[in-house]
Amino acid sequence: ALGLFVSSDADLVRIGDHMFNAQAGARFSWFDAAASKVPGLGDVDYGHAGLVGSAGVKYLYRDLLNVYADFSQGFRAPNLQESTALGNTGKSFDAPNAHLRPVRSNTLEVGVKLRHEWLRANVAGFASWLDDMFIRVMLRPEEWQALGLDPAVVGGIPVYRRENSGAGFYKGVEGGLSLGPFWGFTLWDNILWMEGDVEDAAGQLHPGSRVPPLLGSGGLRWEAPEAAGYVEFYVRWSARQDRLAPEDRKDLRICEDPHRPGTLLSGDACDGTPGWVTYNLRAGWRPWEHIGLQLTLENLGDLRYKTHGSGILAPGFQAMVALSGTY
């Protein structure tokens, strides 16, 4: 892999405490991958080059306000796992495709950041358009047999291959708020909402795969500067994600039958990943300038939960002690 980039930043207009700024940049990327003796393909050796750009403007008022708008392009080349995948994945049999092209994206983001003596706030919204997305397309028996796949090896399950046949649109909003400190107390919160849709090779629109649900975190922190310490209670939470892609319904990480491990729920029986809330506590103390001690207690209720799209349950109650030093 090779990457080269250039960027520029210039103040356009300054009137008293008001300033307008502009940024622009470009990046060139080159990715190369090779694998020998791939079944059905032989030796695989490919490279992809991509040139993308970015530009943005922002309005600044002192150190209090930042209003910005950014446009950026993305480029992601296929990796060897995606281009040479072969075998039973648990939900299907994957066939290789050495002719995958890079996925490209265009993203627009607008946002506001506000900072005051006792207030920190930020909110941003984004929209992303993706082209040449990798879509798993089911092959007809004659197509996968032409790749040299033995029916006895496939085992009677559907055969899929990744192809550049999808287009997507993703959008989201994230924000944060911090109030304080008042008498040593600070209240803070972060939240994220995101949604995506993908158009497949047949022109049908489906929800994007493994898109996170509405989620966030928040807490109350008390600091004692004279004692160089703090105590903080915080929660992490996630809403239910039941907006599932067709691929999600074939994914054991999302739609596994809880009573029959290793088996998918049938039809519309899968209602996604349940929401959850964990309660957590942490405290820190710096007895000397360069030495710090921190205690963290996570998932105080020992909740059994899973992050959407994860194949394993999150940890239950755990306690951690950390000693840090700076030089």
Side-chain angles (χ1 to χ4, degrees), residues 2 19 37 101 105-106 139 152 154 161-162 169 196 208-209 213 232 257 278 291 306 324:
L2 172 68
M19 185 176 70
K37 300 179 180 179
R101 302 185 304 277
S105 67
N106 295 287
L139 301 181
V154 172
R161 178 175 64 189
R162 290 178 176 85
F169 175 64
S209 179
E232 183 174 33
D257 189 335
T278 64
I291 301 296
K306 186 168 65 173
S324 62

Side-chain angles (χ1 to χ4, degrees), residues 2 31 111 118 242 290 320:
L2 172 68
F31 294 88
W118 48 267
D242 53 11
H290 300 292
M320 293 172 287

Side-chain angles (χ1 to χ4, degrees), residues 32 48 64 68 89 93 119 128-129 136 148-149 152 182 194 206 209 222 263 266 272 284 289 297 299 316-317:
D32 184 82
H48 294 288
L64 300 177
Y68 65 92
T89 64
F93 193 97
L119 172 66
S128 291
W129 294 264
R136 296 175 72 251
L149 299 180
F182 300 110
M194 181 175 173
H206 304 286
S209 179
W222 177 74
T263 304
S266 60
E289 181 181 359
L297 305 176
N299 197 359
F317 170 74

Side-chain angles (χ1 to χ4, degrees), residues 236-240 273-278 303 305-308:
R236 296 177 58 243
W237 60 271
S238 172
R240 170 183 291 276
T273 305
W276 50 267
V277 180
T278 64
L303 180 70
Y305 74 99
K306 186 168 65 173
T307 300
H308 181 65

Side-chain angles (χ1 to χ4, degrees), residues 4 26 51 74 90 92 148 155 161 170 174 184 194 201 248 263 283 301:
L4 301 172
L51 179 63
S92 64
R161 178 175 64 189
Y170 288 74
E174 61 180 332
M194 181 175 173
D248 295 339
T263 304

